[in-house]
C-alpha cells in the first residue's frame, strides 16, 4: 500500500479515525498500537461500523480487500499527513513551549479568525499521533493553520516539524516541565529549540518574546534571521503593557506608534505574554487593531486553563488541566495579588519531574506558605511527604480531600485549583 494510493482513498471522505467508538461512515480506520492495546484486533468492528478501509500492520487481521496491510500503522499515518501537508500552500504556524501552548494557540486562532478561514489544533492533539490527525483535518478552504506541538523528550519536536512543516513558529517559553524525559532544564531548552532549527532550515519566520532571555539565547544559537519581536520594551514590533489583571487582564499595546488597548476574559497575569504573542502574530498577518482586539476580547477561556468559574459558594480559578513547577509558581504569584477577602489554594502533585520531583514539590510548598493565603490544601504523595515541614492540610488522594471538603465547607473564597492532569482535581469542583 503506497502513500499515494492511500491518499486517493483519503480524498474520497477526508475522514480519519483511530478509535472504534468514533467511526464515521466512509472513514479510514488506523489500527494503532499502545502499551496496553492493539487496535488491529478491532479492524473487523471498525468495518462493521461503517469504515471504508482499515489500515493494519498484522496480516492475521486482514479480512478482505478493505484491510490495507502496511509495515507500521503509526508510520503510515505520519507519512499520509506529510503527503497531505505537501499539497497545502498555506502558512502553518508551529507553536510549542513549556507553558501556555494551548492558550496561546487558542488566542492566535481567535485573532486570525477575524479575517481568515483558520484551522487550529483541536484540544490537546499535539503529539506524534495528534499532529498527523490535525494536519489531515485541514481542508482546501483553510487559509492559515495553527498547529500545537507538545513534547516530553528530545527529537519529538523535530519529528513533528517534519509532519507539520511550519512556515512560521513560536516557542511560548521554556520552563520546568517534563524534566524526567528531557533530562533537566537544559534538555528542555534543547528539545524546544528543535522548532527554531527547523525554521532556520526552512527559512521561516519566528516570533520571539524579547523579554525572555532563554528564548533570545536559543534563537541566537539557532542562527535565526527572520525574527519578529514582541515584549514590554521599545524596539519591538509589538510593545505591550499589562494595565490590569484583577481578575481579568487588560493590555495596552503599541505598534508602529499606534496605541490600542483590549480587555480580555482571561485571568492570570502570566497570560499577558500569551496575549502579546497573539497580537504580534495578528499584526504580522496584517490584521488591524480593531480585528486583533475583537478576537482577544471575544475569546472565552475553556478546558480548565485559567478559567474563572463562579460556583454557588466560591469563585474558583480552574487551572487543573495540567501543572509543572513553572506554571504552579506563576499561579501562586497570581492569586497572591488578586483582590479577595479570603483565598484558598488547593494544589495537586506535579508529574514527570524525575529526580527533581522532591525538590520542586518542596519549593512550591514553601512558596505557597509564603504567599499570604488563608488556606492551603496539598494533595498527592509528593506533597504529602512534606506534611511535617509546612503549614497546610495534606491529603494523599483527591478522595481524602473531597471527604474533608464535604465536612468542612469552603465559603466565599477565591480558590485556586491546580495540579497535574493525572490528579483529576476536577472531582473536587462539586465541593467548592
Amino acid at each position: 500500500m503506497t502513500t499515494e494510493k492511500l491518499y486517493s482513498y483519503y480524498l474520497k471522505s477526508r475522514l480519519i479515525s483511530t478509535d472504534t467508538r468514533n467511526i464515521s461512515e466512509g472513514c479510514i480506520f488506523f489500527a494503532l498500537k499502545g502499551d496496553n492495546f492493539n487496535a488491529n484486533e478491532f479492524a473487523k468492528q471498525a468495518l462493521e461500523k461503517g469504515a471504508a478501509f482499515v489500515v493494519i500492520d498484522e496480516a492475521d487481521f486482514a479480512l478482505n480487500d478493505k484491510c490495507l496491510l502496511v509495515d507500521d500503522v503509526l508510520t503510515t499515518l505520519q507519512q499520509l499527513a506529510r503527503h497531505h501537508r505537501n499539497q497545502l500552500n498555506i502558512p502553518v504556524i508551529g507553536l510549542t513551549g513549556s507553558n501556555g501552548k494551548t492558550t496561546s494557540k487558542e488566542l492566535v486562532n481567535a485573532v486570525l479568525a477575524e479575517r481568515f478561514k483558520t484551522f487550529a489544533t483541536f484540544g490537546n492533539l499535539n503529539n506524534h499521533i495528534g499532529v498527523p490527525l490535525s494536519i489531515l483535518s485541514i481542508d482546501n478552504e483553510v487559509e492559515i493553520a495553527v498547529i500545537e506541538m507538545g513534547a516530553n523528550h528530545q527529537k519529538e519536536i523535530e519529528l513533528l516539524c517534519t509532519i507539520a512543516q511550519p512556515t512560521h513558529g513560536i516557542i511560548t517559553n521554556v520552563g520546568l516541565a517534563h524534566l524526567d524525559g528531557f533530562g533537566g532544564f537544559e534538555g528542555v531548552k534543547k528539545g524546544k529549540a528543535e522548532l527554531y532549527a527547523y525554521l532556520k532550515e526552512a527559512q521561516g519566520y519566528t516570533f520571539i518574546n524579547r523579554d525572555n532571555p532563554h528564548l533570545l539565547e536559543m534563537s541566537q544559537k539557532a542562527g535565526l534571521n527572520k525574527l519578529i519581536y514582541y515584549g514590554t520594551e521599545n524596539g519591538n514590533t509589538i510593545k505591550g503593557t499589562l494595565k490590569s489583571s484583577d481578575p481579568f487582564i487588560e493590555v495596552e499595546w503599541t505598534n508602529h506608534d499606534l496605541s490600542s488597548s483590549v480587555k480580555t476574559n482571561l485571568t492570570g497575569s502570566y497570560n499577558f505574554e500569551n496575549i502579546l504573542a497573539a497580537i504580534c502574530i495578528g499584526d504580522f498577518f496584517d490584521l488591524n487593531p480593531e480585528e486583533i482586539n475583537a478576537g482577544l476580547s471575544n475569546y472565552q477561556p475553556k478546558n480548565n486553563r485559567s478559567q474563572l468559574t463562579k460556583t454557588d459558594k466560591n469563585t474558583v480559578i480552574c487551572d487543573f488541566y495540567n501543572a509543572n513547577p513553572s506554571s504552579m509558581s506563576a499561579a501562586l504569584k497570581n492569586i497572591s495579588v488578586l483582590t479577595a477577602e479570603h483565598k484558598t489554594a488547593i494544589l495537586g502533585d506535579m508529574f514527570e519531574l524525575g529526580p527533581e520531583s522532591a525538590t520542586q514539590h518542596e519549593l512550591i510548598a514553601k512558596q505557597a506558605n509564603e504567599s499570604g493565603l488563608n488556606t492551603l490544601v496539598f494533595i498527592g504523595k509528593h506533597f504529602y511527604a512534606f506534611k511535617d515541614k509546612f503549614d497546610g492540610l495534606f491529603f494523599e488522594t483527591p478522595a481524602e480531600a473531597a471527604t474533608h471538603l464535604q465536612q468542612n465547607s469552603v465559603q466565599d473564597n477565591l480558590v485556586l485549583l491546580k495540579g497535574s492532569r493525572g490528579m483529576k482535581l476536577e472531582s473536587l469542583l462539586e465541593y467548592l
Side-chain angles (χ1 to χ4, degrees):
M1 175 53 54
T2 66
T3 300
E4 290 75 13
K5 183 65 175 176
L6 182 58
Y7 190 65
S8 70
Y9 293 154
Y10 157 80
L11 289 176
K12 292 179 181 178
S13 70
R14 293 182 178 268
L15 298 172
I16 301 291
S17 175
T18 60
D19 189 335
T20 52
R21 294 170 296 183
N22 299 306
I23 295 292
S24 301
E25 189 73 29
C27 74
I28 301 176
F29 174 73
F30 281 78
L32 297 170
K33 293 176 182 176
D35 293 337
N36 302 307
F37 66 91
N38 180 359
N40 282 272
E41 299 171 358
F42 301 103
K44 180 181 178 182
Q45 183 180 357
L47 290 173
E48 290 172 346
K49 285 190 169 186
F53 297 97
V54 295
V55 180
I56 58 174
D57 51 18
E58 295 184 19
D60 291 346
F61 296 96
L63 305 172
N64 51 43
D65 59 2
K66 291 185 176 182
C67 297
L68 311 178
L69 185 64
V70 299
D71 290 334
D72 181 82
V73 172
L74 175 58
T75 300
T76 299
L77 176 66
Q78 293 170 343
Q79 289 173 340
L80 183 66
R82 281 193 195 95
H83 186 78
H84 181 55
R85 173 66 184 95
N86 289 334
Q87 318 310 309
L88 302 170
N89 186 27
I90 60 171
V92 173
I93 302 167
L95 189 153
T96 190
S98 297
N99 300 302
K101 287 188 299 296
T102 300
T103 298
S104 293
K105 177 255 301 181
E106 295 291 342
L107 290 171
V108 170
N109 183 54
V111 168
L112 294 177
E114 288 293 313
R115 181 178 295 189
F116 300 103
K117 166 73 173 175
T118 62
F119 172 87
T121 299
F122 179 74
N124 203 34
L125 290 174
N126 63 11
N127 64 5
H128 61 296
I129 297 172
V131 168
L133 293 175
S134 295
I135 294 296
L136 288 165
S137 298
I138 301 174
D139 61 34
N140 293 331
E141 295 182 359
V142 171
E143 296 173 296
I144 298 180
V146 187
I147 302 296
E148 180 181 334
M149 297 186 287
N152 56 22
H153 58 268
Q154 291 172 33
K155 297 298 182 181
E156 193 167 6
I157 295 296
E158 180 181 281
L159 168 68
L160 300 181
C161 283
T162 69
I163 298 169
Q165 300 169 38
T167 55
H168 302 70
I170 179 171
I171 301 175
T172 57
N173 50 53
V174 285
L176 303 174
H178 304 296
L179 295 179
D180 195 20
F182 279 114
F185 181 60
E186 289 302 315
V188 173
K189 290 166 63 177
K190 185 176 180 181
K192 297 300 182 184
E194 290 164 12
L195 175 58
Y196 286 171
Y198 180 89
L199 291 168
K200 166 66 175 175
E201 188 68 24
Q203 299 182 35
Y205 291 89
T206 308
F207 305 96
I208 295 183
N209 179 359
R210 210 173 202 160
D211 295 346
N212 190 313
H214 299 300
L215 298 181
L216 288 177
E217 174 200 343
M218 290 157 60
S219 67
Q220 289 164 2
K221 279 187 176 180
L224 295 171
N225 46 32
K226 292 184 177 180
L227 302 172
I228 303 95
Y229 293 107
Y230 60 94
T232 57
E233 303 294 332
N234 292 325
N236 296 309
T237 299
I238 297 295
K239 175 188 175 182
T241 302
L242 180 61
K243 291 186 68 177
S244 174
S245 59
D246 192 5
F248 298 113
I249 297 176
E250 182 177 356
V251 173
E252 186 174 89
W253 59 277
T254 304
N255 168 37
H256 308 309
D257 299 322
L258 181 66
S259 293
S260 184
S261 64
V262 58
K263 294 181 179 179
T264 75
N265 298 300
L266 282 162
T267 188
S269 55
Y270 47 84
N271 277 310
F272 169 59
E273 61 188 48
N274 301 329
I275 293 167
L276 277 193
I279 293 170
C280 185
I281 292 173
D283 174 77
F284 178 86
F285 285 101
D286 293 326
L287 273 73
N288 60 46
E290 291 74 22
E291 291 170 315
I292 292 171
N293 290 344
L296 292 171
S297 62
N298 291 329
Y299 172 71
Q300 294 287 344
K302 50 188 182 295
N303 300 327
N304 300 312
R305 293 177 172 89
S306 305
Q307 187 174 338
L308 203 66
T309 300
K310 289 191 178 296
T311 68
D312 291 339
K313 297 185 289 185
N314 301 288
T315 299
V316 183
I317 302 173
C318 296
D319 201 5
F320 47 79
Y321 186 86
N322 220 333
N324 58 53
S326 298
S327 65
M328 189 78 85
S329 177
L332 283 169
K333 288 177 183 175
N334 179 64
I335 191 174
S336 69
V337 299
L338 294 181
T339 302
E341 190 170 345
H342 298 285
K343 302 177 187 178
T344 294
I346 301 176
L347 308 179
D349 275 355
M350 303 170 288
F351 297 162
E352 296 185 58
L353 297 179
E356 285 286 309
S357 183
T359 298
Q360 296 301 328
H361 280 87
E362 182 177 9
L363 288 172
I364 291 299
K366 182 176 184 292
Q367 180 184 345
N369 269 253
E370 295 172 351
S371 294
L373 307 183
N374 301 93
T375 306
L376 298 173
V377 179
F378 299 96
I379 306 171
K381 64 178 183 179
H382 296 298
F383 275 128
Y384 194 77
F386 298 101
K387 63 182 176 64
D388 296 325
K389 186 170 183 177
F390 296 105
D391 292 334
L393 302 169
F394 288 80
F395 302 97
E396 290 191 272
T397 67
E400 293 174 8
T403 299
H404 173 81
L405 291 172
Q406 281 180 290
Q407 298 171 353
N408 302 272
S409 180
V410 177
Q411 300 269 2
D412 301 318
N413 269 240
L414 175 63
V415 181
L416 169 64
L417 187 59
K418 187 167 181 64
S420 278
R421 187 73 197 92
M423 291 301 296
K424 299 181 179 179
L425 294 186
E426 64 272 16
S427 63
L428 301 181
L429 195 56
E430 64 179 293
Y431 308 113
L432 297 171

